[in-house]
Amino acid sequence: MKIGVVGVKGGWSSELLAETVEKRTGYGLLVEMDKVRLDLDAETAYLNGLDLRELDALIIKKIGARYSPDLMDRLETLRFLNRQGLPMFSAPENIMRVLDRLSCTVGLRLAGIPMPPTTITESVDQALTAVEKYEEAVFKPLYTSKARGMTVISAGEGAREKIAEYRSNHKTMYIQKTIDLGPQDLGLVFLGGEYLTTYARRKQIGEWNTTTASGGKYGAFTPSDGVIALAKKAQEPFGLDFTCVDVALTPDGPMVFEVSAFGGFRGIQEACGMDAASLYVDFVLKRL
């Protein structure tokens, strides 16, 4: 079979997945979306002269090195190919629903998933009202990962000025109440909608978030059946083939932060000793 991997050249997980596909099938292709040409008249897309519809499938690992609205345009190219009959894992339309933080949050809340108190507004005045209500809040860009671009703002002197400064770069403000994470949060991994494993992200002393970009470390963790059931319910509406659900164990019970558009491999490997790339390729081959 000829299976391509949509990813980023030099990206650890992209390269690992492409190498794993090549070992299993004898064919390897890393598809960088900035090098793809969509030809709507020919109803296909090309990569260096290769008609991508000649492939048996695409596995979408990464659309770009950083999250941004531009990635939605790249997903539209893949959506067109998918509609023309090229199997994809996960389906581009499903990825679109979680790539945008607001879209993901709306989907989770409509499904009745518990999340930290959240406010969405374009108004500095309304944002200030939310911060005063929450006492402390995290302002999160709609397209981001590993807490990049996030800002913590507390109620009190200078809050309005900090909000206005943030608003100058982010028209739509996504504001979430700061909650007590404790020392860690969790990543619950699902493959084909079925629970696979869990890893913890343990934050560095003095940091407000647990991401590895802020010094967080991966560790093993065994969640309760209730937490697994909550995470399973959270990812179900999105229909992703491989994903990770971010869950915090708070004094008010477990809460979901987000459902990942692509899911990570490193936490699974370092904390759980599992080869996520091999498991994912096995899943794709069985589906095909």
Side-chain angles (χ1 to χ4, degrees):
M1 285 190 173
K2 292 185 176 181
I3 301 172
V5 172
V6 177
V8 177
K9 188 174 183 179
W12 180 79
S13 60
S14 298
E15 297 279 5
L16 175 62
L17 187 56
E19 290 169 4
T20 303
V21 169
E22 185 171 8
K23 287 178 182 177
R24 295 293 177 85
T25 67
Y27 180 87
L29 177 68
L30 183 64
V31 179
E32 297 177 272
M33 289 304 297
D34 61 342
K35 295 178 172 61
V36 171
R37 173 172 62 89
L38 175 63
D39 187 331
L40 292 173
D41 292 325
E43 298 187 339
T44 191
Y46 299 91
L47 175 68
N48 299 325
L50 172 67
D51 183 342
L52 292 179
R53 285 188 61 186
E54 294 178 2
L55 299 176
D56 293 298
L58 282 174
I59 305 175
I60 305 173
K61 187 65 191 79
K62 288 287 184 184
I63 304 293
R66 292 287 184 271
Y67 279 52
S68 76
D70 295 337
L71 304 191
M72 298 296 276
D73 298 329
R74 294 178 177 180
L75 283 168
E76 286 292 359
T77 292
L78 294 173
R79 185 169 75 96
F80 184 85
L81 286 175
N82 190 215
R83 287 294 187 94
Q84 295 302 312
L86 179 60
M88 295 190 189
F89 304 86
S90 297
E93 290 184 37
N94 294 344
I95 294 175
M96 287 175 174
R97 298 173 59 208
V98 294
L99 191 66
D100 178 328
R101 185 180 303 278
L102 179 52
S103 177
C104 179
T105 296
V106 168
L108 288 170
R109 293 305 296 265
L110 288 175
I113 303 300
M115 300 184 71
T118 304
T119 293
I120 312 299
T121 185
E122 297 180 28
S123 164
V124 171
D125 289 339
Q126 295 304 317
L128 182 61
T129 298
V131 170
E132 291 172 344
K133 177 182 177 182
Y134 298 157
E135 297 184 348
E136 184 180 81
V138 184
F139 285 62
K140 300 182 176 184
L142 297 185
Y143 296 91
T144 189
S145 65
K146 298 187 183 300
R148 294 184 183 93
M150 295 187 184
T151 301
V152 178
I153 299 178
S154 300
E157 185 178 354
R160 177 181 289 277
E161 289 73 18
K162 292 178 181 178
I163 293 169
E165 181 180 357
Y166 183 87
R167 170 64 174 75
S168 67
N169 294 310
H170 305 278
K171 181 179 180 181
T172 299
M173 292 177 283
Y174 181 108
I175 308 163
Q176 204 161 62
K177 180 180 179 179
T178 301
I179 62 173
D180 182 7
L181 286 177
Q184 64 189 6
D185 64 4
L186 309 176
L188 283 82
V189 185
F190 291 83
L191 179 60
E194 298 301 320
Y195 173 69
L196 186 61
T197 189
T198 296
Y199 58 87
R201 286 176 294 252
R202 295 176 178 138
K203 64 183 178 182
Q204 189 174 54
I205 295 174
E207 294 289 344
W208 65 269
N209 69 79
T210 64
T211 66
T212 55
S214 297
K217 302 295 183 183
Y218 295 119
F221 190 89
T222 302
S224 67
D225 291 343
V227 171
I228 294 173
L230 172 62
K232 182 175 176 60
K233 181 181 178 182
Q235 56 86 41
E236 282 176 346
F238 303 105
L240 297 165
D241 292 307
F242 184 84
T243 189
C244 177
V245 182
D246 290 347
V247 178
L249 303 180
T250 80
D252 297 319
M255 292 186 182
V256 173
F257 283 122
E258 65 180 4
V259 176
S260 171
F262 308 109
F265 287 171
R266 196 179 294 276
I268 302 169
Q269 178 173 304
E270 292 186 7
C272 310
M274 300 177 70
D275 185 348
S278 290
L279 293 171
Y280 198 3
V281 173
D282 287 344
F283 170 81
V284 169
L285 290 173
K286 288 178 182 178
R287 285 292 182 92
L288 292 174

mmCIF file of all heavy atoms in Angstrom, residues 95-139:
data_model
loop_
_atom_site.group_PDB
_atom_site.id
_atom_site.type_symbol
_atom_site.label_atom_id
_atom_site.label_comp_id
_atom_site.label_asym_id
_atom_site.label_seq_id
_atom_site.Cartn_x
_atom_site.Cartn_y
_atom_site.Cartn_z
ATOM 1 N N ILE A 95 -10.995 17.188 12.003
ATOM 2 C CA ILE A 95 -9.892 17.951 12.583
ATOM 3 C C ILE A 95 -10.257 19.428 12.687
ATOM 4 O O ILE A 95 -9.917 20.106 13.662
ATOM 5 C CB ILE A 95 -8.618 17.770 11.734
ATOM 6 C CG1 ILE A 95 -8.139 16.317 11.810
ATOM 7 C CG2 ILE A 95 -7.511 18.715 12.201
ATOM 8 C CD1 ILE A 95 -6.964 15.996 10.911
ATOM 9 N N MET A 96 -10.962 19.938 11.683
ATOM 10 C CA MET A 96 -11.363 21.349 11.690
ATOM 11 C C MET A 96 -12.165 21.715 12.938
ATOM 12 O O MET A 96 -12.078 22.830 13.445
ATOM 13 C CB MET A 96 -12.201 21.666 10.445
ATOM 14 C CG MET A 96 -11.410 21.719 9.160
ATOM 15 S SD MET A 96 -12.526 21.953 7.743
ATOM 16 C CE MET A 96 -11.346 22.164 6.423
ATOM 17 N N ARG A 97 -12.920 20.785 13.442
ATOM 18 C CA ARG A 97 -13.814 21.070 14.566
ATOM 19 C C ARG A 97 -13.077 21.182 15.895
ATOM 20 O O ARG A 97 -13.650 21.657 16.874
ATOM 21 C CB ARG A 97 -14.883 19.980 14.649
ATOM 22 C CG ARG A 97 -15.759 19.922 13.399
ATOM 23 C CD ARG A 97 -16.686 18.733 13.427
ATOM 24 N NE ARG A 97 -17.566 18.760 14.580
ATOM 25 C CZ ARG A 97 -18.077 17.682 15.161
ATOM 26 N NH1 ARG A 97 -17.763 16.490 14.700
ATOM 27 N NH2 ARG A 97 -18.877 17.788 16.185
ATOM 28 N N VAL A 98 -11.805 20.756 15.924
ATOM 29 C CA VAL A 98 -11.046 20.873 17.169
ATOM 30 C C VAL A 98 -9.811 21.759 17.029
ATOM 31 O O VAL A 98 -9.213 22.150 18.031
ATOM 32 C CB VAL A 98 -10.617 19.483 17.706
ATOM 33 C CG1 VAL A 98 -11.822 18.678 18.121
ATOM 34 C CG2 VAL A 98 -9.787 18.724 16.694
ATOM 35 N N LEU A 99 -9.405 22.067 15.799
ATOM 36 C CA LEU A 99 -8.214 22.880 15.592
ATOM 37 C C LEU A 99 -8.396 24.276 16.175
ATOM 38 O O LEU A 99 -7.485 24.828 16.797
ATOM 39 C CB LEU A 99 -7.884 22.965 14.105
ATOM 40 C CG LEU A 99 -6.521 23.567 13.755
ATOM 41 C CD1 LEU A 99 -5.398 22.663 14.239
ATOM 42 C CD2 LEU A 99 -6.403 23.787 12.250
ATOM 43 N N ASP A 100 -9.574 24.838 15.995
ATOM 44 C CA ASP A 100 -9.946 26.134 16.566
ATOM 45 C C ASP A 100 -10.417 25.888 18.004
ATOM 46 O O ASP A 100 -11.366 25.154 18.242
ATOM 47 C CB ASP A 100 -11.060 26.751 15.718
ATOM 48 C CG ASP A 100 -11.557 28.086 16.235
ATOM 49 O OD1 ASP A 100 -11.555 28.300 17.468
ATOM 50 O OD2 ASP A 100 -11.989 28.909 15.428
ATOM 51 N N ARG A 101 -9.755 26.508 18.979
ATOM 52 C CA ARG A 101 -10.082 26.280 20.386
ATOM 53 C C ARG A 101 -11.545 26.585 20.701
ATOM 54 O O ARG A 101 -12.188 25.870 21.467
ATOM 55 C CB ARG A 101 -9.175 27.147 21.270
ATOM 56 C CG ARG A 101 -9.357 26.896 22.767
ATOM 57 C CD ARG A 101 -8.423 27.784 23.573
ATOM 58 N NE ARG A 101 -7.041 27.591 23.210
ATOM 59 C CZ ARG A 101 -6.283 26.602 23.673
ATOM 60 N NH1 ARG A 101 -6.785 25.726 24.517
ATOM 61 N NH2 ARG A 101 -5.023 26.494 23.291
ATOM 62 N N LEU A 102 -12.079 27.634 20.094
ATOM 63 C CA LEU A 102 -13.467 28.001 20.369
ATOM 64 C C LEU A 102 -14.424 26.952 19.824
ATOM 65 O O LEU A 102 -15.388 26.558 20.491
ATOM 66 C CB LEU A 102 -13.780 29.375 19.772
ATOM 67 C CG LEU A 102 -15.211 29.887 19.970
ATOM 68 C CD1 LEU A 102 -15.621 29.841 21.435
ATOM 69 C CD2 LEU A 102 -15.343 31.299 19.413
ATOM 70 N N SER A 103 -14.178 26.489 18.603
ATOM 71 C CA SER A 103 -15.023 25.457 18.011
ATOM 72 C C SER A 103 -15.007 24.188 18.860
ATOM 73 O O SER A 103 -16.049 23.569 19.106
ATOM 74 C CB SER A 103 -14.547 25.150 16.586
ATOM 75 O OG SER A 103 -15.310 24.114 16.015
ATOM 76 N N CYS A 104 -13.822 23.812 19.334
ATOM 77 C CA CYS A 104 -13.692 22.629 20.180
ATOM 78 C C CYS A 104 -14.468 22.822 21.477
ATOM 79 O O CYS A 104 -15.211 21.928 21.924
ATOM 80 C CB CYS A 104 -12.227 22.356 20.479
ATOM 81 S SG CYS A 104 -11.934 20.936 21.548
ATOM 82 N N THR A 105 -14.323 23.997 22.088
ATOM 83 C CA THR A 105 -15.005 24.273 23.356
ATOM 84 C C THR A 105 -16.517 24.236 23.200
ATOM 85 O O THR A 105 -17.227 23.660 24.032
ATOM 86 C CB THR A 105 -14.562 25.645 23.901
ATOM 87 O OG1 THR A 105 -13.173 25.594 24.207
ATOM 88 C CG2 THR A 105 -15.340 26.011 25.157
ATOM 89 N N VAL A 106 -17.023 24.844 22.127
ATOM 90 C CA VAL A 106 -18.469 24.833 21.893
ATOM 91 C C VAL A 106 -18.968 23.399 21.740
ATOM 92 O O VAL A 106 -19.997 23.008 22.300
ATOM 93 C CB VAL A 106 -18.825 25.678 20.651
ATOM 94 C CG1 VAL A 106 -20.275 25.441 20.237
ATOM 95 C CG2 VAL A 106 -18.598 27.156 20.947
ATOM 96 N N GLY A 107 -18.221 22.579 20.992
ATOM 97 C CA GLY A 107 -18.600 21.183 20.830
ATOM 98 C C GLY A 107 -18.624 20.436 22.150
ATOM 99 O O GLY A 107 -19.539 19.646 22.423
ATOM 100 N N LEU A 108 -17.633 20.692 23.004
ATOM 101 C CA LEU A 108 -17.574 20.031 24.307
ATOM 102 C C LEU A 108 -18.723 20.475 25.204
ATOM 103 O O LEU A 108 -19.369 19.643 25.856
ATOM 104 C CB LEU A 108 -16.232 20.335 24.981
ATOM 105 C CG LEU A 108 -15.007 19.649 24.379
ATOM 106 C CD1 LEU A 108 -13.720 20.229 24.967
ATOM 107 C CD2 LEU A 108 -15.055 18.144 24.619
ATOM 108 N N ARG A 109 -18.983 21.764 25.236
ATOM 109 C CA ARG A 109 -20.050 22.252 26.116
ATOM 110 C C ARG A 109 -21.426 21.789 25.642
ATOM 111 O O ARG A 109 -22.303 21.485 26.452
ATOM 112 C CB ARG A 109 -19.997 23.786 26.214
ATOM 113 C CG ARG A 109 -18.750 24.307 26.924
ATOM 114 C CD ARG A 109 -18.562 23.703 28.314
ATOM 115 N NE ARG A 109 -19.610 24.060 29.228
ATOM 116 C CZ ARG A 109 -19.555 25.077 30.089
ATOM 117 N NH1 ARG A 109 -18.481 25.851 30.133
ATOM 118 N NH2 ARG A 109 -20.553 25.333 30.902
ATOM 119 N N LEU A 110 -21.627 21.727 24.329
ATOM 120 C CA LEU A 110 -22.911 21.225 23.808
ATOM 121 C C LEU A 110 -23.098 19.748 24.152
ATOM 122 O O LEU A 110 -24.224 19.266 24.254
ATOM 123 C CB LEU A 110 -22.978 21.427 22.294
ATOM 124 C CG LEU A 110 -23.164 22.875 21.815
ATOM 125 C CD1 LEU A 110 -23.091 22.947 20.298
ATOM 126 C CD2 LEU A 110 -24.501 23.443 22.297
ATOM 127 N N ALA A 111 -21.997 19.041 24.349
ATOM 128 C CA ALA A 111 -22.060 17.626 24.721
ATOM 129 C C ALA A 111 -22.170 17.434 26.240
ATOM 130 O O ALA A 111 -22.183 16.303 26.724
ATOM 131 C CB ALA A 111 -20.835 16.887 24.190
ATOM 132 N N GLY A 112 -22.208 18.550 26.980
ATOM 133 C CA GLY A 112 -22.360 18.460 28.425
ATOM 134 C C GLY A 112 -21.092 18.093 29.163
ATOM 135 O O GLY A 112 -21.145 17.553 30.271
ATOM 136 N N ILE A 113 -19.929 18.386 28.579
ATOM 137 C CA ILE A 113 -18.646 18.037 29.200
ATOM 138 C C ILE A 113 -18.241 19.137 30.188
ATOM 139 O O ILE A 113 -18.226 20.320 29.832
ATOM 140 C CB ILE A 113 -17.552 17.876 28.129
ATOM 141 C CG1 ILE A 113 -17.960 16.811 27.094
ATOM 142 C CG2 ILE A 113 -16.223 17.537 28.784
ATOM 143 C CD1 ILE A 113 -18.197 15.446 27.678
ATOM 144 N N PRO A 114 -17.896 18.781 31.428
ATOM 145 C CA PRO A 114 -17.469 19.797 32.404
ATOM 146 C C PRO A 114 -16.142 20.419 32.009
ATOM 147 O O PRO A 114 -15.176 19.713 31.702
ATOM 148 C CB PRO A 114 -17.347 19.013 33.711
ATOM 149 C CG PRO A 114 -17.153 17.594 33.303
ATOM 150 C CD PRO A 114 -17.902 17.424 32.023
ATOM 151 N N MET A 115 -16.103 21.752 32.008
ATOM 152 C CA MET A 115 -14.900 22.513 31.663
ATOM 153 C C MET A 115 -14.753 23.654 32.662
ATOM 154 O O MET A 115 -15.712 24.014 33.353
ATOM 155 C CB MET A 115 -15.012 23.085 30.242
ATOM 156 C CG MET A 115 -15.172 22.067 29.135
ATOM 157 S SD MET A 115 -15.171 22.848 27.499
ATOM 158 C CE MET A 115 -13.436 23.330 27.353
ATOM 159 N N PRO A 116 -13.570 24.248 32.744
ATOM 160 C CA PRO A 116 -13.433 25.439 33.581
ATOM 161 C C PRO A 116 -14.361 26.549 33.090
ATOM 162 O O PRO A 116 -14.637 26.631 31.879
ATOM 163 C CB PRO A 116 -11.962 25.824 33.399
ATOM 164 C CG PRO A 116 -11.281 24.567 32.979
ATOM 165 C CD PRO A 116 -12.286 23.834 32.149
ATOM 166 N N PRO A 117 -14.849 27.425 33.976
ATOM 167 C CA PRO A 117 -15.677 28.549 33.537
ATOM 168 C C PRO A 117 -14.965 29.346 32.450
ATOM 169 O O PRO A 117 -13.781 29.662 32.581
ATOM 170 C CB PRO A 117 -15.848 29.369 34.821
ATOM 171 C CG PRO A 117 -15.733 28.361 35.925
ATOM 172 C CD PRO A 117 -14.701 27.384 35.440
ATOM 173 N N THR A 118 -15.698 29.645 31.382
ATOM 174 C CA THR A 118 -15.084 30.238 30.191
ATOM 175 C C THR A 118 -15.941 31.376 29.655
ATOM 176 O O THR A 118 -17.162 31.284 29.630
ATOM 177 C CB THR A 118 -14.907 29.173 29.093
ATOM 178 O OG1 THR A 118 -14.147 28.078 29.618
ATOM 179 C CG2 THR A 118 -14.181 29.734 27.885
ATOM 180 N N THR A 119 -15.304 32.446 29.215
ATOM 181 C CA THR A 119 -15.972 33.597 28.614
ATOM 182 C C THR A 119 -15.342 33.875 27.251
ATOM 183 O O THR A 119 -14.120 33.808 27.103
ATOM 184 C CB THR A 119 -15.838 34.846 29.503
ATOM 185 O OG1 THR A 119 -16.562 34.645 30.715
ATOM 186 C CG2 THR A 119 -16.363 36.093 28.806
ATOM 187 N N ILE A 120 -16.176 34.201 26.272
ATOM 188 C CA ILE A 120 -15.709 34.599 24.945
ATOM 189 C C ILE A 120 -16.236 36.002 24.664
ATOM 190 O O ILE A 120 -17.439 36.252 24.775
ATOM 191 C CB ILE A 120 -16.219 33.642 23.850
ATOM 192 C CG1 ILE A 120 -16.000 32.177 24.242
ATOM 193 C CG2 ILE A 120 -15.561 33.976 22.515
ATOM 194 C CD1 ILE A 120 -14.567 31.782 24.447
ATOM 195 N N THR A 121 -15.364 36.921 24.308
ATOM 196 C CA THR A 121 -15.814 38.280 24.024
ATOM 197 C C THR A 121 -14.777 39.018 23.183
ATOM 198 O O THR A 121 -13.594 38.658 23.180
ATOM 199 C CB THR A 121 -16.081 39.073 25.318
ATOM 200 O OG1 THR A 121 -16.620 40.357 25.000
ATOM 201 C CG2 THR A 121 -14.802 39.255 26.123
ATOM 202 N N GLU A 122 -15.240 40.065 22.492
ATOM 203 C CA GLU A 122 -14.347 40.973 21.781
ATOM 204 C C GLU A 122 -14.196 42.288 22.538
ATOM 205 O O GLU A 122 -13.421 43.154 22.137
ATOM 206 C CB GLU A 122 -14.869 41.246 20.371
ATOM 207 C CG GLU A 122 -14.937 40.012 19.486
ATOM 208 C CD GLU A 122 -15.452 40.308 18.091
ATOM 209 O OE1 GLU A 122 -15.259 41.456 17.622
ATOM 210 O OE2 GLU A 122 -16.045 39.414 17.468
ATOM 211 N N SER A 123 -14.936 42.428 23.627
ATOM 212 C CA SER A 123 -15.003 43.680 24.374
ATOM 213 C C SER A 123 -14.037 43.691 25.560
ATOM 214 O O SER A 123 -14.049 42.771 26.388
ATOM 215 C CB SER A 123 -16.432 43.905 24.878
ATOM 216 O OG SER A 123 -16.478 44.893 25.892
ATOM 217 N N VAL A 124 -13.239 44.741 25.665
ATOM 218 C CA VAL A 124 -12.344 44.885 26.810
ATOM 219 C C VAL A 124 -13.154 45.014 28.092
ATOM 220 O O VAL A 124 -12.809 44.434 29.126
ATOM 221 C CB VAL A 124 -11.418 46.105 26.629
ATOM 222 C CG1 VAL A 124 -10.636 46.393 27.911
ATOM 223 C CG2 VAL A 124 -10.458 45.881 25.469
ATOM 224 N N ASP A 125 -14.266 45.754 28.037
ATOM 225 C CA ASP A 125 -15.112 45.916 29.221
ATOM 226 C C ASP A 125 -15.662 44.575 29.699
ATOM 227 O O ASP A 125 -15.657 44.279 30.900
ATOM 228 C CB ASP A 125 -16.279 46.861 28.920
ATOM 229 C CG ASP A 125 -15.836 48.307 28.755
ATOM 230 O OD1 ASP A 125 -14.737 48.647 29.261
ATOM 231 O OD2 ASP A 125 -16.571 49.092 28.129
ATOM 232 N N GLN A 126 -16.152 43.773 28.758
ATOM 233 C CA GLN A 126 -16.719 42.477 29.135
ATOM 234 C C GLN A 126 -15.627 41.508 29.606
ATOM 235 O O GLN A 126 -15.852 40.683 30.491
ATOM 236 C CB GLN A 126 -17.487 41.883 27.959
ATOM 237 C CG GLN A 126 -18.715 42.680 27.552
ATOM 238 C CD GLN A 126 -19.680 42.874 28.704
ATOM 239 O OE1 GLN A 126 -19.959 41.954 29.468
ATOM 240 N NE2 GLN A 126 -20.185 44.097 28.828
ATOM 241 N N ALA A 127 -14.452 41.626 29.021
ATOM 242 C CA ALA A 127 -13.338 40.797 29.464
ATOM 243 C C ALA A 127 -12.954 41.150 30.897
ATOM 244 O O ALA A 127 -12.651 40.270 31.717
ATOM 245 C CB ALA A 127 -12.142 40.973 28.537
ATOM 246 N N LEU A 128 -12.966 42.440 31.208
ATOM 247 C CA LEU A 128 -12.666 42.876 32.573
ATOM 248 C C LEU A 128 -13.706 42.341 33.550
ATOM 249 O O LEU A 128 -13.362 41.905 34.661
ATOM 250 C CB LEU A 128 -12.607 44.400 32.633
ATOM 251 C CG LEU A 128 -12.261 45.002 34.010
ATOM 252 C CD1 LEU A 128 -10.880 44.534 34.453
ATOM 253 C CD2 LEU A 128 -12.331 46.522 33.947
ATOM 254 N N THR A 129 -14.955 42.354 33.138
ATOM 255 C CA THR A 129 -16.015 41.789 33.978
ATOM 256 C C THR A 129 -15.744 40.319 34.284
ATOM 257 O O THR A 129 -15.914 39.855 35.409
ATOM 258 C CB THR A 129 -17.387 41.929 33.289
ATOM 259 O OG1 THR A 129 -17.694 43.318 33.112
ATOM 260 C CG2 THR A 129 -18.488 41.264 34.099
ATOM 261 N N ALA A 130 -15.304 39.580 33.265
ATOM 262 C CA ALA A 130 -15.009 38.154 33.448
ATOM 263 C C ALA A 130 -13.834 37.960 34.403
ATOM 264 O O ALA A 130 -13.874 37.093 35.291
ATOM 265 C CB ALA A 130 -14.699 37.510 32.102
ATOM 266 N N VAL A 131 -12.785 38.762 34.247
ATOM 267 C CA VAL A 131 -11.613 38.639 35.119
ATOM 268 C C VAL A 131 -11.987 38.952 36.565
ATOM 269 O O VAL A 131 -11.557 38.264 37.500
ATOM 270 C CB VAL A 131 -10.475 39.566 34.636
ATOM 271 C CG1 VAL A 131 -9.349 39.626 35.668
ATOM 272 C CG2 VAL A 131 -9.931 39.075 33.306
ATOM 273 N N GLU A 132 -12.800 39.977 36.758
ATOM 274 C CA GLU A 132 -13.241 40.316 38.114
ATOM 275 C C GLU A 132 -14.088 39.201 38.713
ATOM 276 O O GLU A 132 -14.004 38.912 39.910
ATOM 277 C CB GLU A 132 -14.013 41.636 38.092
ATOM 278 C CG GLU A 132 -13.109 42.837 37.788
ATOM 279 C CD GLU A 132 -13.893 44.117 37.579
ATOM 280 O OE1 GLU A 132 -15.138 44.027 37.362
ATOM 281 O OE2 GLU A 132 -13.281 45.202 37.618
ATOM 282 N N LYS A 133 -14.890 38.563 37.894
ATOM 283 C CA LYS A 133 -15.714 37.436 38.352
ATOM 284 C C LYS A 133 -14.846 36.231 38.704
ATOM 285 O O LYS A 133 -15.055 35.578 39.728
ATOM 286 C CB LYS A 133 -16.714 37.062 37.257
ATOM 287 C CG LYS A 133 -17.573 35.851 37.582
ATOM 288 C CD LYS A 133 -18.495 35.520 36.415
ATOM 289 C CE LYS A 133 -19.316 34.258 36.699
ATOM 290 N NZ LYS A 133 -20.191 33.909 35.544
ATOM 291 N N TYR A 134 -13.851 35.954 37.875
ATOM 292 C CA TYR A 134 -12.992 34.780 38.071
ATOM 293 C C TYR A 134 -11.864 35.042 39.067
ATOM 294 O O TYR A 134 -11.256 34.103 39.569
ATOM 295 C CB TYR A 134 -12.372 34.346 36.738
ATOM 296 C CG TYR A 134 -13.356 33.918 35.674
ATOM 297 C CD1 TYR A 134 -13.001 33.967 34.322
ATOM 298 C CD2 TYR A 134 -14.635 33.450 36.000
ATOM 299 C CE1 TYR A 134 -13.882 33.561 33.328
ATOM 300 C CE2 TYR A 134 -15.520 33.055 35.010
ATOM 301 C CZ TYR A 134 -15.143 33.128 33.678
ATOM 302 O OH TYR A 134 -16.019 32.724 32.685
ATOM 303 N N GLU A 135 -11.547 36.315 39.316
ATOM 304 C CA GLU A 135 -10.428 36.758 40.146
ATOM 305 C C GLU A 135 -9.083 36.577 39.442
ATOM 306 O O GLU A 135 -8.217 37.427 39.528
ATOM 307 C CB GLU A 135 -10.405 36.045 41.505
ATOM 308 C CG GLU A 135 -11.629 36.348 42.342
ATOM 309 C CD GLU A 135 -11.568 35.725 43.719
ATOM 310 O OE1 GLU A 135 -10.681 34.871 43.961
ATOM 311 O OE2 GLU A 135 -12.410 36.094 44.567
ATOM 312 N N GLU A 136 -8.920 35.488 38.738
ATOM 313 C CA GLU A 136 -7.728 35.285 37.919
ATOM 314 C C GLU A 136 -8.125 34.435 36.726
ATOM 315 O O GLU A 136 -8.886 33.475 36.877
ATOM 316 C CB GLU A 136 -6.615 34.606 38.712
ATOM 317 C CG GLU A 136 -5.317 34.457 37.917
ATOM 318 C CD GLU A 136 -4.215 33.794 38.709
ATOM 319 O OE1 GLU A 136 -4.212 32.542 38.794
ATOM 320 O OE2 GLU A 136 -3.362 34.519 39.251
ATOM 321 N N ALA A 137 -7.605 34.775 35.546
ATOM 322 C CA ALA A 137 -8.011 34.058 34.338
ATOM 323 C C ALA A 137 -6.842 33.891 33.382
ATOM 324 O O ALA A 137 -5.888 34.676 33.390
ATOM 325 C CB ALA A 137 -9.151 34.801 33.633
ATOM 326 N N VAL A 138 -6.950 32.857 32.547
ATOM 327 C CA VAL A 138 -5.974 32.617 31.495
ATOM 328 C C VAL A 138 -6.593 33.040 30.162
ATOM 329 O O VAL A 138 -7.683 32.565 29.803
ATOM 330 C CB VAL A 138 -5.571 31.133 31.425
ATOM 331 C CG1 VAL A 138 -4.487 30.939 30.373
ATOM 332 C CG2 VAL A 138 -5.094 30.636 32.779
ATOM 333 N N PHE A 139 -5.917 33.918 29.449
ATOM 334 C CA PHE A 139 -6.346 34.345 28.123
ATOM 335 C C PHE A 139 -5.624 33.457 27.112
ATOM 336 O O PHE A 139 -4.390 33.432 27.078
ATOM 337 C CB PHE A 139 -6.004 35.815 27.892
ATOM 338 C CG PHE A 139 -6.906 36.774 28.617
ATOM 339 C CD1 PHE A 139 -6.985 36.777 30.001
ATOM 340 C CD2 PHE A 139 -7.692 37.671 27.901
ATOM 341 C CE1 PHE A 139 -7.815 37.663 30.671
ATOM 342 C CE2 PHE A 139 -8.540 38.563 28.556
ATOM 343 C CZ PHE A 139 -8.600 38.550 29.951
#
